[in-house]
Amino acid sequence: MKAQHVAIVGATGAVGQEMLRVLADRRFAMASLRLIASPGSAGRTVRFAERDYVLMAPSREAFEGVDLALFSAGASVSRAWAPVAAACGAWVVDNSSAYRQDPEIPLVVPEVNAEALANNPRRIIANPNCSTIQMLVALAPMHRAWGLERVVVSTYQAISGKGARALDEFDAQVRADGRGESPAHEILPGILSGNLLCDWAHGDDGWSEEERKMVAETRKILSMPSLAVSPTTVRVPVRNGHSESVWARFARPVTRAMAHEVLGAAEGVVLTRESGPGVHPQPRTASGQDAVFVGRVREDGGDPNALMFFVVSDNVRKGAALNAVQIAERVCL
Ligand SMILES: NC(=O)c1ccc[n+]([C@@H]2O[C@H](COP(=O)([O-])OP(=O)(O)OC[C@H]3O[C@@H](n4cnc5c(N)ncnc54)[C@H](OP(=O)(O)O)[C@@H]3O)[C@@H](O)[C@H]2O)c1
């Protein structure tokens, strides 16, 4: 791969900062780097690899000469500026929800559907949401082996998934609790200190946006438009690393041993075969790691075709920044 002129949009955020670490860790060949944030941050400096970069606001000039633009500044910024970056000749990898359901735009988890990158008329690729990415890295190899028929998933999602300011707000809530005061909330949808929240906007049918995303994105990535997916998404007082409890039914009878064999050879998966007190994937240890950690694989005593398992991954890393850079490594040839 020739050295790329790279722009990161949302460079000061939780995902943008992780993108910088991932690019450095993977020695991504960069000819130049532009860091873009909101107009209010323009002119401030950000330090990366022992160099100071002056933050830019999004503009056509900011994207001129850029080969690769990694967007993680929210859907409205992506809608406004991703087409501009693509028109300037850049490959765009977008972390927001703006283009995920656009039929002309591939939605990609490289371990699962890298072949979708071949059909890309608009030079924009969407990165799925973090909960869907880790679930599918674990489920896809089992789907290939036995044919997936139905998924039921409950999530235990970390605070970092709501961005850098949510972590600060959570810390303030814990301090307020410690002083015996009533914690405030603005970014988080409620008090997460000593609590958990079924957050996000709920429609009349009781579904949350995060749950809808898991259904729609899973169906698109697996090219299974009527797959039965039944999620319940929950925010928990964990700083980083999403966990998920998954029940999956397949077209054939399956055993724990069969699942261990498939998952043990799966790209991007680290499998815990052992069981015992504290021996299972955990957000504390998954944090900062590239892999999707899978453990607690169990047979469903009432259904010979079904398995249950636990999946943990760093939502900011594999759930966003790393997945985006893995896509970039495949398109910037
Ligand atoms: N956190 C996760 O686990 C995760 C996972 C998957 C996808 N995502 C998605 O990634 C995106 C960013 O998430 P995050 O967690 O990194 O959020 P964040 O920590 O709140 O960071 C937001 C970033 O966007 C920038 N920004 C805000 N308004 C802007 C504008 N008008 N023009 C240019 N830049 C602007 C901010 O710059 P300032 O510093 O100047 O405000 C900051 O760099 C969201 O779409 C989110 O849904 C996040």
Side-chain angles (χ1 to χ4, degrees):
M1 184 178 83
K2 82 171 173 56
Q4 303 288 304
H5 295 282
V6 177
I8 298 185
V9 185
T12 53
V15 176
Q17 288 288 299
E18 191 67 24
M19 274 176 181
L20 289 172
R21 286 189 282 273
V22 170
L23 290 168
D25 290 351
R26 296 174 79 82
R27 300 196 200 305
F28 191 93
M30 285 192 281
S32 68
L33 177 63
R34 291 181 196 169
L35 300 187
I36 298 171
S38 70
S41 297
R44 271 185 40 217
T45 54
V46 166
R47 200 157 177 81
F48 169 63
E50 296 177 21
R51 246 195 81 180
D52 288 324
Y53 290 83
V54 178
L55 290 171
M56 306 166 83
S59 69
R60 177 168 272 276
E61 296 73 57
F63 295 112
E64 270 163 12
V66 167
D67 302 312
L68 169 67
L70 299 167
F71 273 73
S72 65
S76 58
V77 176
S78 295
R79 274 189 211 103
W81 292 106
V84 176
C88 287
W91 283 108
V92 173
V93 185
D94 180 32
N95 265 287
S96 80
S97 57
Y99 297 102
R100 289 179 186 153
Q101 290 309 317
D102 187 321
E104 284 190 347
I105 291 186
L107 180 66
V108 174
V109 182
E111 296 88 340
V112 179
N113 66 332
E115 69 284 353
L117 290 170
N119 184 13
N120 192 354
R122 289 173 42 199
R123 296 184 75 83
I124 300 174
I125 300 124
N127 211 53
N129 90 63
C130 37
S131 312
T132 305
I133 291 176
Q134 69 182 64
M135 180 175 81
L136 291 188
V137 169
L139 266 179
M142 294 191 270
H143 167 51
R144 280 182 215 116
W146 313 307
L148 187 59
E149 284 192 339
R150 185 180 176 89
V151 191
V152 180
V153 54
S154 297
T155 70
Y156 309 75
Q157 292 180 228
I159 306 152
S160 61
K162 292 288 267 186
R165 288 171 61 216
L167 283 163
D168 294 339
E169 185 169 286
F170 173 72
D171 290 338
Q173 288 187 349
V174 173
R175 286 195 299 274
D177 255 350
R179 292 192 299 268
E181 296 166 6
S182 178
H185 68 91
E186 188 187 330
I187 311 217
L188 294 166
I191 298 165
L192 201 49
S193 171
N195 200 14
L196 53 79
L197 296 165
C198 290
D199 59 11
W200 309 279
H202 290 250
D204 289 344
D205 56 4
W207 279 68
S208 73
E209 278 312 302
E210 191 82 356
E211 288 156 357
R212 283 186 222 285
K213 283 183 202 168
M214 287 195 83
V215 176
E217 294 181 24
T218 297
R219 288 175 172 174
K220 180 169 176 178
I221 294 163
L222 295 180
S223 300
M224 297 175 80
S226 41
L227 179 68
V229 183
S230 309
T232 300
T233 57
V234 182
R235 188 80 58 189
V236 297
V238 168
R239 294 185 70 79
N240 192 45
H242 287 359
S243 306
E244 296 175 343
S245 144
V246 183
W247 178 95
R249 182 170 210 284
F250 302 93
R252 293 170 40 193
V254 283
T255 63
R256 174 174 148 92
M258 287 163 67
H260 278 176
E261 193 181 330
V262 167
L263 288 166
E267 185 187 355
V269 170
V270 171
L271 173 68
T272 303
R273 293 166 195 267
E274 303 75 24
S275 48
V279 183
H280 57 82
Q282 296 171 30
R284 252 185 112 95
T285 42
S287 218
Q289 306 289 319
D290 286 354
V292 169
F293 296 85
V294 183
R296 306 216 57 228
V297 179
R298 285 153 293 151
E299 291 162 19
D300 180 335
D303 185 342
N305 289 27
L307 291 168
M308 298 171 285
F309 55 92
F310 201 61
V311 191
V312 182
S313 191
D314 185 328
N315 51 294
V316 181
R317 201 168 170 92
K318 179 55 187 166
L322 172 63
N323 199 73
V325 173
Q326 288 173 317
I327 290 170
E329 287 167 346
R330 284 169 161 82
V331 290
C332 298
L333 297 171

PDB file of all heavy atoms in Angstrom, residues 25-41:
ATOM      1  N   ASP A  25      -0.389   1.846  15.973  1.00  0.00           N
ATOM      2  CA  ASP A  25      -0.118   0.443  16.329  1.00  0.00           C
ATOM      3  C   ASP A  25       0.073  -0.425  15.089  1.00  0.00           C
ATOM      4  O   ASP A  25       0.875  -1.351  15.089  1.00  0.00           O
ATOM      5  CB  ASP A  25      -1.277  -0.156  17.147  1.00  0.00           C
ATOM      6  CG  ASP A  25      -1.356   0.448  18.541  1.00  0.00           C
ATOM      7  OD1 ASP A  25      -0.429   1.188  18.916  1.00  0.00           O
ATOM      8  OD2 ASP A  25      -2.375   0.195  19.227  1.00  0.00           O
ATOM      9  N   ARG A  26      -0.724  -0.149  14.038  1.00  0.00           N
ATOM     10  CA  ARG A  26      -0.664  -0.992  12.834  1.00  0.00           C
ATOM     11  C   ARG A  26       0.332  -0.454  11.805  1.00  0.00           C
ATOM     12  O   ARG A  26       0.404  -0.957  10.707  1.00  0.00           O
ATOM     13  CB  ARG A  26      -2.074  -1.093  12.203  1.00  0.00           C
ATOM     14  CG  ARG A  26      -3.040  -1.778  13.131  1.00  0.00           C
ATOM     15  CD  ARG A  26      -4.446  -1.751  12.596  1.00  0.00           C
ATOM     16  NE  ARG A  26      -4.720  -2.745  11.577  1.00  0.00           N
ATOM     17  CZ  ARG A  26      -5.034  -4.014  11.806  1.00  0.00           C
ATOM     18  NH1 ARG A  26      -5.091  -4.451  13.037  1.00  0.00           N
ATOM     19  NH2 ARG A  26      -5.290  -4.839  10.805  1.00  0.00           N
ATOM     20  N   ARG A  27       1.056   0.606  12.200  1.00  0.00           N
ATOM     21  CA  ARG A  27       2.048   1.238  11.298  1.00  0.00           C
ATOM     22  C   ARG A  27       1.420   1.524   9.940  1.00  0.00           C
ATOM     23  O   ARG A  27       1.988   1.208   8.885  1.00  0.00           O
ATOM     24  CB  ARG A  27       3.283   0.342  11.134  1.00  0.00           C
ATOM     25  CG  ARG A  27       3.991   0.056  12.445  1.00  0.00           C
ATOM     26  CD  ARG A  27       5.391  -0.489  12.205  1.00  0.00           C
ATOM     27  NE  ARG A  27       5.968  -1.206  13.326  1.00  0.00           N
ATOM     28  CZ  ARG A  27       6.110  -0.751  14.559  1.00  0.00           C
ATOM     29  NH1 ARG A  27       5.720   0.435  14.893  1.00  0.00           N
ATOM     30  NH2 ARG A  27       6.667  -1.498  15.496  1.00  0.00           N
ATOM     31  N   PHE A  28       0.226   2.091   9.970  1.00  0.00           N
ATOM     32  CA  PHE A  28      -0.488   2.462   8.738  1.00  0.00           C
ATOM     33  C   PHE A  28       0.348   3.509   8.014  1.00  0.00           C
ATOM     34  O   PHE A  28       0.724   4.535   8.599  1.00  0.00           O
ATOM     35  CB  PHE A  28      -1.865   3.025   9.096  1.00  0.00           C
ATOM     36  CG  PHE A  28      -2.787   3.195   7.932  1.00  0.00           C
ATOM     37  CD1 PHE A  28      -3.673   2.192   7.579  1.00  0.00           C
ATOM     38  CD2 PHE A  28      -2.772   4.366   7.179  1.00  0.00           C
ATOM     39  CE1 PHE A  28      -4.526   2.350   6.503  1.00  0.00           C
ATOM     40  CE2 PHE A  28      -3.621   4.523   6.098  1.00  0.00           C
ATOM     41  CZ  PHE A  28      -4.502   3.520   5.759  1.00  0.00           C
ATOM     42  N   ALA A  29       0.654   3.244   6.739  1.00  0.00           N
ATOM     43  CA  ALA A  29       1.573   4.136   6.003  1.00  0.00           C
ATOM     44  C   ALA A  29       0.884   5.459   5.672  1.00  0.00           C
ATOM     45  O   ALA A  29      -0.038   5.498   4.860  1.00  0.00           O
ATOM     46  CB  ALA A  29       2.022   3.440   4.723  1.00  0.00           C
ATOM     47  N   MET A  30       1.322   6.524   6.326  1.00  0.00           N
ATOM     48  CA  MET A  30       0.693   7.838   6.120  1.00  0.00           C
ATOM     49  C   MET A  30       1.693   8.817   5.510  1.00  0.00           C
ATOM     50  O   MET A  30       2.789   9.009   6.045  1.00  0.00           O
ATOM     51  CB  MET A  30       0.191   8.391   7.448  1.00  0.00           C
ATOM     52  CG  MET A  30      -1.074   7.712   7.922  1.00  0.00           C
ATOM     53  SD  MET A  30      -1.856   8.571   9.290  1.00  0.00           S
ATOM     54  CE  MET A  30      -0.852   8.046  10.658  1.00  0.00           C
ATOM     55  N   ALA A  31       1.269   9.463   4.403  1.00  0.00           N
ATOM     56  CA  ALA A  31       2.107  10.510   3.805  1.00  0.00           C
ATOM     57  C   ALA A  31       1.859  11.831   4.525  1.00  0.00           C
ATOM     58  O   ALA A  31       2.754  12.669   4.629  1.00  0.00           O
ATOM     59  CB  ALA A  31       1.779  10.645   2.320  1.00  0.00           C
ATOM     60  N   SER A  32       0.608  12.015   4.998  1.00  0.00           N
ATOM     61  CA  SER A  32       0.285  13.222   5.774  1.00  0.00           C
ATOM     62  C   SER A  32      -0.959  12.928   6.592  1.00  0.00           C
ATOM     63  O   SER A  32      -1.670  11.938   6.344  1.00  0.00           O
ATOM     64  CB  SER A  32       0.029  14.420   4.852  1.00  0.00           C
ATOM     65  OG  SER A  32      -1.167  14.198   4.123  1.00  0.00           O
ATOM     66  N   LEU A  33      -1.208  13.772   7.574  1.00  0.00           N
ATOM     67  CA  LEU A  33      -2.357  13.563   8.468  1.00  0.00           C
ATOM     68  C   LEU A  33      -3.002  14.914   8.769  1.00  0.00           C
ATOM     69  O   LEU A  33      -2.318  15.866   9.158  1.00  0.00           O
ATOM     70  CB  LEU A  33      -1.867  12.915   9.777  1.00  0.00           C
ATOM     71  CG  LEU A  33      -2.903  12.689  10.879  1.00  0.00           C
ATOM     72  CD1 LEU A  33      -3.988  11.712  10.425  1.00  0.00           C
ATOM     73  CD2 LEU A  33      -2.212  12.147  12.138  1.00  0.00           C
ATOM     74  N   ARG A  34      -4.325  15.004   8.545  1.00  0.00           N
ATOM     75  CA  ARG A  34      -5.064  16.212   8.929  1.00  0.00           C
ATOM     76  C   ARG A  34      -6.064  15.826  10.011  1.00  0.00           C
ATOM     77  O   ARG A  34      -6.791  14.836   9.854  1.00  0.00           O
ATOM     78  CB  ARG A  34      -5.832  16.790   7.733  1.00  0.00           C
ATOM     79  CG  ARG A  34      -4.899  17.361   6.705  1.00  0.00           C
ATOM     80  CD  ARG A  34      -5.647  17.948   5.534  1.00  0.00           C
ATOM     81  NE  ARG A  34      -4.714  18.116   4.443  1.00  0.00           N
ATOM     82  CZ  ARG A  34      -5.036  18.400   3.200  1.00  0.00           C
ATOM     83  NH1 ARG A  34      -6.307  18.555   2.871  1.00  0.00           N
ATOM     84  NH2 ARG A  34      -4.112  18.529   2.285  1.00  0.00           N
ATOM     85  N   LEU A  35      -6.093  16.591  11.059  1.00  0.00           N
ATOM     86  CA  LEU A  35      -7.029  16.315  12.153  1.00  0.00           C
ATOM     87  C   LEU A  35      -8.124  17.371  12.143  1.00  0.00           C
ATOM     88  O   LEU A  35      -7.852  18.574  12.197  1.00  0.00           O
ATOM     89  CB  LEU A  35      -6.289  16.307  13.489  1.00  0.00           C
ATOM     90  CG  LEU A  35      -5.168  15.256  13.612  1.00  0.00           C
ATOM     91  CD1 LEU A  35      -4.605  15.215  15.024  1.00  0.00           C
ATOM     92  CD2 LEU A  35      -5.652  13.858  13.191  1.00  0.00           C
ATOM     93  N   ILE A  36      -9.357  16.891  12.074  1.00  0.00           N
ATOM     94  CA  ILE A  36     -10.520  17.774  11.912  1.00  0.00           C
ATOM     95  C   ILE A  36     -11.469  17.558  13.087  1.00  0.00           C
ATOM     96  O   ILE A  36     -11.725  16.423  13.496  1.00  0.00           O
ATOM     97  CB  ILE A  36     -11.222  17.462  10.565  1.00  0.00           C
ATOM     98  CG1 ILE A  36     -10.240  17.753   9.411  1.00  0.00           C
ATOM     99  CG2 ILE A  36     -12.513  18.257  10.424  1.00  0.00           C
ATOM    100  CD1 ILE A  36     -10.726  17.298   8.037  1.00  0.00           C
ATOM    101  N   ALA A  37     -11.940  18.676  13.640  1.00  0.00           N
ATOM    102  CA  ALA A  37     -12.929  18.609  14.734  1.00  0.00           C
ATOM    103  C   ALA A  37     -13.969  19.698  14.492  1.00  0.00           C
ATOM    104  O   ALA A  37     -14.099  20.190  13.362  1.00  0.00           O
ATOM    105  CB  ALA A  37     -12.223  18.764  16.081  1.00  0.00           C
ATOM    106  N   SER A  38     -14.713  20.067  15.523  1.00  0.00           N
ATOM    107  CA  SER A  38     -15.770  21.064  15.310  1.00  0.00           C
ATOM    108  C   SER A  38     -15.135  22.432  15.080  1.00  0.00           C
ATOM    109  O   SER A  38     -13.994  22.674  15.485  1.00  0.00           O
ATOM    110  CB  SER A  38     -16.696  21.111  16.524  1.00  0.00           C
ATOM    111  OG  SER A  38     -16.010  21.686  17.609  1.00  0.00           O
ATOM    112  N   PRO A  39     -15.894  23.350  14.455  1.00  0.00           N
ATOM    113  CA  PRO A  39     -15.340  24.687  14.222  1.00  0.00           C
ATOM    114  C   PRO A  39     -14.845  25.337  15.512  1.00  0.00           C
ATOM    115  O   PRO A  39     -13.854  26.069  15.501  1.00  0.00           O
ATOM    116  CB  PRO A  39     -16.517  25.457  13.617  1.00  0.00           C
ATOM    117  CG  PRO A  39     -17.344  24.390  12.946  1.00  0.00           C
ATOM    118  CD  PRO A  39     -17.214  23.172  13.807  1.00  0.00           C
ATOM    119  N   GLY A  40     -15.493  25.020  16.647  1.00  0.00           N
ATOM    120  CA  GLY A  40     -15.068  25.610  17.927  1.00  0.00           C
ATOM    121  C   GLY A  40     -13.675  25.160  18.361  1.00  0.00           C
ATOM    122  O   GLY A  40     -13.025  25.835  19.172  1.00  0.00           O
ATOM    123  N   SER A  41     -13.215  24.028  17.857  1.00  0.00           N
ATOM    124  CA  SER A  41     -11.883  23.521  18.244  1.00  0.00           C
ATOM    125  C   SER A  41     -10.803  23.931  17.243  1.00  0.00           C
ATOM    126  O   SER A  41      -9.617  23.686  17.498  1.00  0.00           O
ATOM    127  CB  SER A  41     -11.900  21.989  18.324  1.00  0.00           C
ATOM    128  OG  SER A  41     -12.784  21.566  19.322  1.00  0.00           O
TER     129      SER A  41
END
